[in-house]
Amino acid sequence: MSDISSATRHEIVIVGAGFSGLGTAIALRKAGFEDFLIVDDAEGPGGTWRWNTYPGVAVDIPSFSYQFSFAQRSTWSRTYAPGRELRAYAEQIVDEYDLRPHLRFGTRVRTAAFDQQSATWRISTSAGELTARWLIHAGGPLSQPKLPEIDGIDTFTGSMMHTSRWDQEVSLVGKRVGIIGTGATAVQVIPEIAAQVEHLTVFQRTPIWCLPKPDFSLGRAGQLALSKVPGGRRTARFASQAMVEATFPLLAHFHRWVPATDVVQVAARRYIRSQVHDPVTRDKLTPRYALGCKRPSFHNSYLSTFNRDNVALETTSIEAITPTGIRTTDGTEHELDVLILATGFKVTDKDALPSYQLISGDGVDLAEHWAERRFHTYQGVATAGFPNFFTVYGPYGYNGASFFTLVENSAAHIVRVLDEARRRAASSAQVTESAQSQYMAAILARRPLQVFSNPTCANANSYYFTKQGDVPLRASTTVEAAWKSRRFPLTHYKFAG
């Protein structure tokens, strides 16, 4: 599926066959664009749900929201779908919308450079060269694993794996296992493997706020209700969307007006007390930063797992990884058979967004451009100075609600621009500096309202924050974002050719 030599020229190339790429492709087809190619370095669709197969992997917002509005399912097994069902959903979407002929897997983009004279992108991939009039980066934020910068990481002689590249051939039964990290992924993995291993040592740098998860089986009756009861799916989705909106966009972006995170934090502390027996361990698992500074997690057995005799929480800093385990700064040697890295992803790193070098017609490297001037975009989709290039998940585009809502908003924005270019017979389009500046000024003006302005966030070690201390999320309600993605003035773009 990686041979692209037979068709190297396309009107549109989409990088990424996760839900971002699939959703954008569907929007393009609905608008009458057929000459597009989707490339991905994986061996199938699904993005993060293709790569992540670790024990316990599941979505952390309700299934009713974590799906396309135009392709809702009534067959979810639980209120929070497990990873295998999201992978299956991606495959279903591909077949349902006849996208397979447009997909090229096992193909990694290395570089993309814009040729001003021809107004096309020249794209170098592991399978050959491509050219495209329009380039859409649809890589998600949770696809490029981030390895910890710890001395000796290459010397470990046991089995070592990042959670996003789980090795199914490695058995954990009866093994001494160490896991570095206590973020959202670790919260799912730890309860799943604790009963299998001889001993599990959890190396924690920063604790995570963990709340109970209303996760339950839908069963046959629930699935029938969704599929047969008039308005069943619509009602479930409305309730789910309202809950998602209330638990992040409203509380995080409008914290000063709706300071309910303080109330939720009190409940979270009570939950920790009810779950963890040992007071010392309980204290170590309690964050010292405000709820919302760092992505919170939801799980019903993560905290109680630390009551097990074979599970230990280690908060002393790691000095080095050794051939036989981990040495902490107090001199303790933790001997391990298996080391699991639950250390997250490259979300705002220079080599993550995008994951390849992208050069404008003026020779400007996008990663360097953002590093020098900080992240900036227009609605998270376009960046001034980079014509014919769009991002589905770009800086200041995602407001923290359902990722699928973001995809549909970004796709609508992109299609609107391409439709106008087609109407004008234009060969290029780029957002104007003034429109971008106005958008960024409006978004940044809301910064004082956000929970991220809390001084305790400095202790959160949160991937929300860039190295410059910015949080490149869209400070907006979901309704506002959806409206503006479909109603922005077309004069905000300059069309030529």
Side-chain angles (χ1 to χ4, degrees), residues 121-439:
W121 284 97
R122 301 189 182 280
I123 306 159
S124 173
T125 82
S126 58
E129 304 297 313
L130 290 168
T131 60
R133 175 72 64 204
W134 312 97
L135 177 60
I136 301 173
H137 180 70
L142 307 180
S143 60
Q144 303 297 315
K146 187 170 188 175
L147 301 180
E149 297 178 358
I150 301 175
D151 289 343
I153 191 169
D154 295 326
T155 67
F156 184 64
T157 57
S159 298
M160 181 171 66
M161 55 189 161
H162 191 278
T163 49
S164 67
R165 301 296 186 269
W166 194 268
D167 189 343
Q168 302 293 344
E169 300 299 316
V170 175
S171 173
L172 304 183
V173 177
K175 301 289 182 63
R176 297 168 301 176
V177 179
I179 182 167
I180 300 176
T182 51
T185 297
V187 165
Q188 294 184 339
V189 173
I190 289 168
E192 291 293 319
I193 66 175
Q196 304 174 32
V197 306
E198 176 187 318
H199 191 270
L200 176 63
T201 305
V202 179
F203 295 89
Q204 173 184 275
R205 179 169 59 170
T206 310
I208 188 171
W209 285 111
C210 186
L211 294 156
K213 187 176 186 178
D215 182 25
F216 55 85
S217 172
L218 291 172
R220 184 63 179 155
Q223 293 173 344
L224 282 173
L226 289 173
S227 61
K228 301 297 184 182
V229 175
R233 277 190 300 193
R234 189 181 301 110
T235 300
R237 183 173 175 82
F238 177 81
S240 176
Q241 294 285 77
M243 188 192 86
V244 170
E245 189 76 4
T247 54
F248 193 97
L250 288 179
L251 297 190
H253 299 312
F254 303 97
H255 172 71
R256 180 168 292 183
W257 294 343
V258 190
T261 51
D262 300 338
V263 176
V264 179
Q265 186 170 310
V266 171
R269 288 182 182 278
R270 289 175 181 166
Y271 184 57
I272 295 173
R273 288 197 297 271
S274 72
Q275 295 293 300
V276 185
H277 300 157
D278 177 58
V280 175
T281 303
R282 185 191 309 145
D283 183 65
K284 290 179 178 179
L285 288 168
T286 303
R288 267 47 176 185
Y289 56 85
L291 191 148
C293 295
K294 183 184 178 80
R295 180 184 180 185
S297 197
F298 301 85
H299 206 282
N300 296 326
S301 56
Y302 167 69
L303 292 170
S304 61
T305 301
F306 290 95
N307 296 325
R308 297 180 61 94
D309 293 335
N310 70 328
V311 176
L313 178 65
E314 180 58 73
T315 57
T316 304
S317 298
I318 296 174
E319 181 178 287
I321 295 175
T322 69
T324 58
I326 287 179
R327 182 173 64 250
T328 47
T329 53
D330 60 1
T332 303
E333 298 279 349
H334 300 267
E335 295 192 354
L336 304 170
D337 302 308
V338 180
L339 178 57
I340 299 169
L341 307 176
T343 48
F345 302 88
K346 296 178 179 180
V347 178
T348 59
D349 298 62
K350 282 177 64 175
D351 58 346
L353 187 62
S355 53
Y356 47 89
Q357 186 180 44
L358 187 132
I359 307 295
S360 75
D362 296 325
V364 178
D365 182 302
L366 179 61
E368 296 291 342
H369 177 70
W370 275 338
E372 292 174 5
R373 295 180 52 188
R374 295 188 168 183
F375 279 133
H376 54 272
T377 65
Y378 178 64
Q379 295 192 6
V381 172
T383 304
F386 292 82
N388 296 22
F389 174 70
F390 307 97
T391 49
V392 178
Y393 181 97
Y396 298 99
Y398 180 46
N399 76 336
S402 170
F403 182 69
F404 281 79
T405 303
L406 167 73
V407 174
E408 292 185 39
N409 288 346
S410 296
H413 183 131
I414 293 167
V415 166
R416 190 157 186 258
V417 175
L418 297 191
D419 249 341
E420 181 65 9
R422 180 172 55 183
R423 188 186 70 80
R424 298 183 181 211
S427 60
S428 70
Q430 65 173 309
V431 69
T432 65
E433 284 276 5
S434 60
Q436 178 177 269
S437 297
Q438 290 170 19
Y439 173 75

Side-chain angles (χ1 to χ4, degrees), residues 23-200:
T24 302
I26 292 167
L28 289 169
R29 294 201 79 172
K30 289 180 177 179
F33 293 95
E34 289 291 342
D35 183 14
F36 61 87
L37 180 71
I38 310 170
V39 298
D40 197 294
D41 58 348
E43 295 304 320
T48 189
W49 301 104
R50 168 69 54 174
W51 289 114
N52 286 270
T53 61
Y54 60 81
V57 59
V59 69
D60 58 4
I61 70 169
S63 309
F64 315 114
S65 290
Y66 204 79
Q67 58 182 336
F68 290 118
S69 63
F70 54 81
Q72 296 182 48
R73 295 290 182 266
S74 57
T75 54
W76 303 115
S77 65
R78 308 188 64 82
T79 51
Y80 290 78
R84 65 179 180 277
E85 293 184 22
L86 272 303
R87 289 194 295 278
Y89 181 55
E91 295 281 359
Q92 292 165 11
I93 290 294
V94 166
D95 292 333
E96 187 174 331
Y97 290 90
D98 194 26
L99 297 178
R100 222 165 276 280
H102 298 269
L103 288 161
R104 297 293 182 271
F105 297 120
T107 303
R108 186 170 186 85
V109 173
R110 292 169 175 162
T111 62
F114 189 68
D115 183 301
Q116 286 183 322
Q117 186 172 358
S118 61
T120 57
W121 284 97
R122 301 189 182 280
I123 306 159
S124 173
T125 82
S126 58
E129 304 297 313
L130 290 168
T131 60
R133 175 72 64 204
W134 312 97
L135 177 60
I136 301 173
H137 180 70
L142 307 180
S143 60
Q144 303 297 315
K146 187 170 188 175
L147 301 180
E149 297 178 358
I150 301 175
D151 289 343
I153 191 169
D154 295 326
T155 67
F156 184 64
T157 57
S159 298
M160 181 171 66
M161 55 189 161
H162 191 278
T163 49
S164 67
R165 301 296 186 269
W166 194 268
D167 189 343
Q168 302 293 344
E169 300 299 316
V170 175
S171 173
L172 304 183
V173 177
K175 301 289 182 63
R176 297 168 301 176
V177 179
I179 182 167
I180 300 176
T182 51
T185 297
V187 165
Q188 294 184 339
V189 173
I190 289 168
E192 291 293 319
I193 66 175
Q196 304 174 32
V197 306
E198 176 187 318
H199 191 270
L200 176 63

